[in-house]
Amino acid sequence: MKIMEGSHAVAEAVKACRPHVISAYPITPQTHIVEEISRMVADGELACEYIRVESEHSAMSVCVGASATGARTYTATTSQGMALMHEVLFNAAGLRLPIVMTAVNRALSAPINIWDDQQDAISQRDTGWIQLHAEDSQEASDMIIQAYRIAEDHDVLLPVMIGMDGFILTHVYEPVELCPQEKVDEFLPLYEPTQYLTPKNPLTFGPIVDPSMYMEFRYMIHEAMGRAKKKIMNVASEFRDKFGRYYGGLIDTYEAEDAEVLILAMGSVIGTIKDAIDELRADGKKVGLVKVRCYRPFPAEAILEAAKDAKAIAVLDKNISLGHEGALYTDVKSVLYNKGPLALGFILGLGGRDITKSTIENIVAKAQKAIESGRVEEESEFVDLDQEVL
Amino acid sequence: MKLSIGAVTEPGSTRINKTGSWRTFKPIIDVEACVGCGMCSMFCPEGVVYEVEDKYTIDYDYCKGCGVCAHECPSGAIEMVIEEK
């Protein structure tokens, strides 16, 4: 166990996975991850090609090209950089390349804001990337090793992004246990591509596909997403057997079994929610948590199973689909439609606004009020808005 | 044919994509009026107009019907006719 910065814990996990090619462009608050990795390469600690580029669009394009040759690749970005990668993200998924990326979470401009929310990753929802979200530095680090196992599985072959809240996790120093190299080597064998670019056997990656076949390729990605669900759960279990740490499969729960009010969220806010739940439970309130580890593929069955006996579920979104509501809230409602508890949506923590225990307690109080009245008065609301400046 | 993962194919697979189906107008060469100058072949953006025994012929599998050949033909020997489908 070492006390280290979250970004460095991620860099150490990347190193242990022995990637062949890394390409990245520095952007706050992702910088410390790629800075540390480039130091490792420069100091000879990590034997890999570190390709410096002029933009995130090029960083992801390098990963696509390198991955097509059968290389294990890694990159990291955040916010505007993730947005700049957007079109290449579709290509990485469509070409079925198992690239792994740390998606450090940060708000998007304008107005410019470098602090944490999850709008950047949520806005890449439909690119075909598997999207995981980490609760703490340890999980963000361990998820790297899990992600390669998931991505490179021949039944999956999809890229994986790991959401990691900017600053809250990237810049925090906390105790982290690093995975020993020999155990990582046992857990994560070399990537064996099913098809790859080589001058000895030329192939075409990225041909035009006309209306007679395009839909079938989209269907194949969708099916692979479905198969990934089981793989993500299995890899989490195997990781527990090998390294002794477990964070749940597609979701995790906390005090959820007899809970009347469930809070559903993802990312670093989970820790705050758990602390709030401990205090609420001490007061005799039946409150529990559903932590979404995997946002895409969406764990519909697992959420329904966890929520079916609750009376209300409060969904916390550190994002907003402007003009509608939080993205998680929409997804959760679609899962619970006609068969679940009352669902309330809360938009909070945008642009780094702190989410405190009292915020969580207020949300639980609103959920309890909805249970008493039997109806949800305001489906989706902003939390802790400063009305005085509006 | 079973589809490959990620649409990875053997080289030259673009030939499978018969772009002639995109055509609305079809260029028809009047062989009698053709003087064999080759302007149609030189200007064709798809490279699908070929010389055959001093005259020219069009590969309709890939001709998209843009009409450049008809526009450039100094003899007016190429007519664009609506494609019947």
Side-chain angles (χ1 to χ4, degrees):
Chain A
M1 186 90 61
K2 272 175 127 175
I3 293 177
M4 62 195 308
E5 195 188 6
S7 290
H8 289 190
V10 168
E12 289 288 346
V14 171
K15 178 180 150 189
C17 292
R18 302 185 189 276
H20 304 102
V21 176
I22 293 171
S23 183
Y25 189 85
I27 175 170
T28 302
Q30 155 265 34
T31 310
H32 292 185
I33 298 173
V34 295
E35 188 179 63
E36 176 65 5
I37 290 172
S38 65
R39 186 201 61 75
M40 290 166 169
V41 175
D43 288 354
E45 292 173 22
L46 171 58
C48 89
E49 286 288 332
Y50 188 99
I51 301 174
R52 284 186 294 262
V53 286
E54 86 300 346
S55 76
E56 288 83 359
H57 189 281
S58 297
M60 184 48 64
S61 298
V62 164
C63 288
V64 165
S67 186
T69 69
R72 182 173 285 165
T73 60
Y74 174 81
T75 188
T77 190
T78 182
S79 183
Q80 309 302 125
M82 215 184 301
L84 188 55
M85 282 181 176
H86 185 62
E87 65 150 347
V88 195
L89 296 183
F90 280 93
N91 279 296
L95 291 164
R96 309 294 297 276
L97 301 172
I99 299 163
V100 170
M101 168 164 79
T102 299
V104 171
N105 295 122
R106 176 189 136 181
L108 277 139
S109 297
I112 191 165
N113 173 298
I114 60 167
W115 292 271
D116 170 69
D117 69 31
Q118 294 167 345
Q119 190 70 54
D120 50 4
I122 294 290
S123 298
Q124 307 302 339
R125 183 188 67 184
D126 301 333
T127 53
W129 280 60
I130 291 170
Q131 192 172 134
L132 308 176
H133 283 265
E135 172 182 344
D136 53 25
S137 298
Q138 184 73 62
E139 191 176 13
S141 176
D142 290 346
M143 264 183 179
I144 297 282
I145 298 159
Q146 296 186 14
Y148 282 111
R149 276 287 303 276
I150 298 159
E152 293 170 0
D153 188 279
H154 287 186
D155 285 337
V156 178
L157 288 173
L158 285 172
V160 178
M161 68 171 76
I162 299 159
M164 177 187 195
D165 283 315
F167 292 114
I168 301 170
L169 297 185
T170 53
H171 288 54
V172 77
Y173 277 72
E174 60 183 12
V176 172
E177 199 165 326
L178 298 176
C179 298
Q181 184 66 60
E182 60 276 12
K183 281 175 99 172
V184 176
D185 289 341
E186 287 165 15
F187 184 79
L188 180 66
L190 282 175
Y191 170 38
E192 285 182 24
T194 53
Q195 43 198 4
Y196 57 97
L197 284 176
T198 165
K200 288 178 193 147
N201 178 30
L203 290 171
T204 298
F205 276 65
I208 189 169
V209 172
D210 71 14
S212 71
M213 282 186 274
Y214 179 84
M215 214 158 96
E216 281 68 20
F217 283 107
R218 300 294 282 173
Y219 175 80
M220 286 162 78
I221 300 172
H222 183 63
E223 288 290 292
M225 274 277 180
R227 291 192 295 272
K229 287 186 185 181
K230 196 170 173 203
K231 191 72 200 171
I232 292 162
M233 290 190 277
N234 289 348
V235 167
S237 301
E238 283 177 48
F239 190 91
R240 174 185 53 201
D241 297 343
K242 190 86 186 168
F243 299 98
R245 290 189 295 277
Y246 184 70
Y247 312 91
L250 299 168
I251 65 165
D252 197 13
T253 58
Y254 182 73
E255 302 279 5
E257 269 166 37
D258 65 337
E260 289 179 359
V261 175
L262 278 178
I263 304 167
L264 183 143
M266 58 189 192
S268 60
V269 73
I270 296 296
T272 310
I273 297 170
K274 284 176 177 170
D275 282 353
I277 287 174
D278 288 345
E279 292 181 9
L280 290 161
R281 283 269 171 186
D283 287 346
K285 292 186 176 129
K286 289 187 173 176
V287 183
L289 165 76
V290 175
K291 161 184 163 180
V292 175
R293 276 189 91 224
C294 176
Y295 175 60
R296 281 293 180 277
F298 195 66
E301 303 86 354
I303 289 173
L304 187 59
E305 177 62 26
K308 65 181 188 330
D309 297 327
K311 290 181 179 165
I313 184 162
V315 181
L316 275 48
D317 273 290
K318 288 166 83 168
N319 72 85
I320 179 167
S321 175
L322 295 165
H324 194 37
E325 57 195 16
L328 258 179
Y329 184 46
T330 303
D331 285 346
V332 169
K333 279 198 295 185
S334 79
V335 167
L336 300 180
Y337 185 64
N338 279 347
K339 47 194 164 191
L342 296 170
L344 299 87
F346 298 93
I347 290 151
L348 74 180
L350 302 188
R353 180 73 55 89
D354 280 338
I355 302 168
T356 62
K357 280 190 287 187
S358 65
T359 309
I360 305 300
E361 283 157 14
N362 291 340
I363 285 168
V364 170
K366 285 191 175 175
Q368 284 173 325
K369 207 175 146 205
I371 293 170
E372 282 163 25
S373 66
R375 53 189 281 270
V376 177
E377 278 185 26
E378 195 175 4
E379 279 223 356
S380 173
E381 63 180 281
F382 279 73
V383 175
D384 295 340
L385 269 190
D386 185 354
Q387 295 290 354
E388 283 188 17
V389 298
L390 288 170
Chain B
M1 181 186 77
K2 283 286 180 190
L3 299 181
S4 64
I5 289 174
V8 176
T9 68
E10 295 292 317
S13 62
T14 303
R15 287 191 207 96
I16 301 166
N17 187 23
K18 300 266 173 86
T19 49
S21 66
W22 302 7
R23 206 167 48 232
T24 306
F25 288 94
K26 184 179 186 178
I28 306 289
I29 300 176
D30 179 348
V31 182
E32 296 300 314
C34 172
V35 296
C37 68
M39 292 288 270
C40 51
S41 178
M42 279 187 275
F43 275 93
C44 173
E46 297 295 317
V48 294
V49 185
Y50 303 100
E51 186 186 347
V52 180
E53 293 172 0
D54 296 336
K55 300 285 182 178
Y56 284 82
T57 184
I58 294 166
D59 183 346
Y60 290 114
D61 275 352
Y62 302 105
C63 165
K64 294 172 182 166
C66 69
V68 167
C69 55
H71 186 266
E72 296 296 336
C73 177
S75 311
I78 304 178
E79 188 189 358
M80 300 300 293
V81 298
I82 191 96
E83 181 90 24
E84 283 182 33
K85 287 182 186 169

